[in-house]
Amino acid sequence: MYCFAFRPYSRKFCQPLRTHHGSWEVREGILLRLSDEMGNVGFGEIAPLPEFGSETFQQALHLCRQFPEYIEKTDILEISEPLPASQFGFESAWLDLTEKMPFETELPHSQLLPTGEAVFSVLESQKPEAGKTFKWKIGVTDIELELQWFDRLLSSLPPNATLRLDANGGLTWETANRWLAACEGRSIEFLEQPLPVTEFDEMLQLCDRYTTTIALDESVATLRQLETCIRRGWRGVFVVKAAIAGSPTRLCQLCENHRLDTVFSSVFETRIGREAALRLAARLQTVPRAVGFGIEGWFADDEERLLRQF
Ligand code: MG
């Protein structure tokens, strides 16, 4: 039996995050704590992302409120599939309590750049270091304009920088082809989710037509979707948002059995969820790639203070 406590949180972005899904202003999630009679404690976090097919914050909150003060391992294992962020949160709290592994990963982080033209003022003011990986969202405004910015961005980046593009499923067949043509001969690490989830076969065709690697993100948000895309023959990169994928144990089995080329990525969770996801990344990323957790400075509040209050 484990004593269970939870605390919902709400964090405001300094600047709303603009993607093809819209503008995101507040990250809501739930911190979880399990403790046993020996005094061992484990923390977990539910950080839902309904735009990617996870449960909503309200559904996760409802689950937490339904649980009694003392829960068992079976309660955690029985959390049902439509609640993948909750499966991750509870199971990683349980793993934290039972395994108590020290946190150490040396993985490099990619830095998320502001969307659109706002990228240039940040690059000018921050003077980013050489050799870093950057990520820039596309498919948000007029393609002509974005392609001009893309050229300017490539010449503004520091030496040996790596750039990944993320369309969040916001391109059409025509604009995806234009983007990939523009990427030819440029060192773009990958283009993430060019087309909507429903256009899987078209994305497979894009892989054959161009040399730039394509990564699936929205298409593989949950373990069930990940399984489906493996079965349907995806051999590109898989972006794994561990915090909304579902059970970490099942995620490990799937990635290891199929030797997937994965890039672990953030859903703007706090350090609790981030550390749980990065432990998985350290174990499961087979190709050296920067992880997508470079989100420092995106929130207005003090994260450590928020965590200390729990
Ligand atoms: Mg993405």
Side-chain angles (χ1 to χ4, degrees):
M1 293 286 269
Y2 304 101
C3 182
F4 165 56
F6 68 98
R7 171 179 284 202
Y9 68 80
S10 169
R11 310 184 68 200
K12 203 167 184 305
F13 287 99
C14 297
Q15 300 283 333
L17 178 66
R18 281 173 60 221
T19 74
H20 177 69
H21 300 296
S23 178
W24 189 13
E25 290 176 17
V26 178
R27 176 0 125 219
E28 287 181 302
I30 305 168
L31 301 175
L32 310 175
R33 184 176 58 223
L34 297 177
S35 49
D36 65 14
E37 69 274 15
M38 315 282 284
N40 299 308
V41 183
F43 290 95
E45 177 176 356
I46 306 176
L49 204 57
E51 296 85 350
F52 279 62
S54 90
E55 68 272 47
T56 62
F57 168 74
Q58 287 301 333
Q59 288 168 324
L61 193 57
H62 182 70
L63 175 77
C64 292
R65 285 182 175 150
Q66 272 188 330
F67 274 147
E69 195 184 344
Y70 286 89
I71 63 172
E72 294 186 55
K73 178 76 197 296
T74 50
D75 294 317
I76 294 173
L77 295 178
E78 282 167 9
I79 296 171
S80 65
E81 202 172 289
L83 304 170
S86 302
Q87 286 181 328
F88 172 83
F90 277 93
E91 202 175 315
S92 50
W94 182 79
L95 290 169
D96 187 36
L97 186 151
T98 51
E99 294 182 355
K100 266 296 163 216
M101 288 192 298
F103 181 74
E104 44 182 317
T105 71
E106 303 265 303
L107 296 166
H109 287 253
S110 81
Q111 182 184 343
L112 178 61
L113 295 168
T115 309
E117 203 175 13
V119 65
F120 300 110
S121 56
V122 164
L123 285 179
E124 269 161 40
S125 63
Q126 285 188 359
K127 296 272 175 279
E129 60 211 84
K132 270 194 77 149
T133 299
F134 298 90
K135 175 162 164 174
W136 191 53
K137 301 275 186 185
I138 63 166
V140 179
T141 184
D142 177 56
I143 186 169
E144 308 297 339
L145 209 51
E146 284 190 341
L147 286 172
Q148 283 172 29
W149 290 335
F150 175 59
D151 275 336
R152 194 173 142 203
L153 174 57
L154 284 173
S155 54
S156 313
L157 287 174
N160 306 321
T162 304
L163 182 64
R164 27 178 99 151
L165 301 172
D166 187 0
N168 287 107
L171 303 180
T172 61
W173 174 255
E174 192 225 322
T175 55
N177 276 278
R178 287 195 60 191
W179 267 105
L180 285 162
C183 290
E184 286 295 304
R186 260 78 182 262
S187 80
I188 303 302
E189 186 187 13
F190 53 74
L191 168 61
E192 213 170 295
Q193 195 76 35
L195 301 175
V197 174
T198 48
E199 294 174 32
F200 179 83
D201 292 330
E202 287 81 352
M203 287 191 278
L204 270 183
Q205 286 177 43
L206 290 174
C207 292
D208 292 337
R209 281 186 162 208
Y210 299 96
T211 54
T212 301
T213 302
I214 295 177
L216 294 183
D217 184 2
E218 279 85 344
S219 291
V220 292
T222 63
L223 291 178
R224 172 161 293 214
Q225 288 175 294
L226 190 62
E227 278 169 342
T228 305
C229 290
I230 295 168
R231 203 175 53 239
R232 292 179 71 183
W234 189 260
R235 294 295 174 268
V237 169
F238 295 82
V239 176
V240 178
K241 290 178 158 42
I244 56 163
S247 155
T249 314
R250 276 188 54 218
L251 176 66
C252 288
Q253 288 165 353
L254 208 53
C255 292
E256 286 174 345
N257 289 347
H258 296 276
R259 298 167 183 270
L260 302 184
D261 180 354
T262 53
V263 180
F264 278 66
S265 170
S266 147
V267 293
F268 293 91
E269 60 281 84
T270 71
R271 176 170 57 76
I272 303 287
R274 187 163 64 238
E275 287 185 359
L278 285 172
R279 280 197 184 97
L280 295 168
R283 172 172 164 185
L284 300 174
Q285 271 194 210
T286 51
V287 176
R289 297 184 187 278
V291 289
F293 287 82
I295 57 161
E296 269 149 58
W298 279 84
F299 288 104
D301 66 352
D302 177 346
E303 180 182 292
E304 286 306 316
R305 193 157 158 239
L306 172 84
L307 299 180
R308 272 199 308 275
Q309 288 168 346
F310 181 47

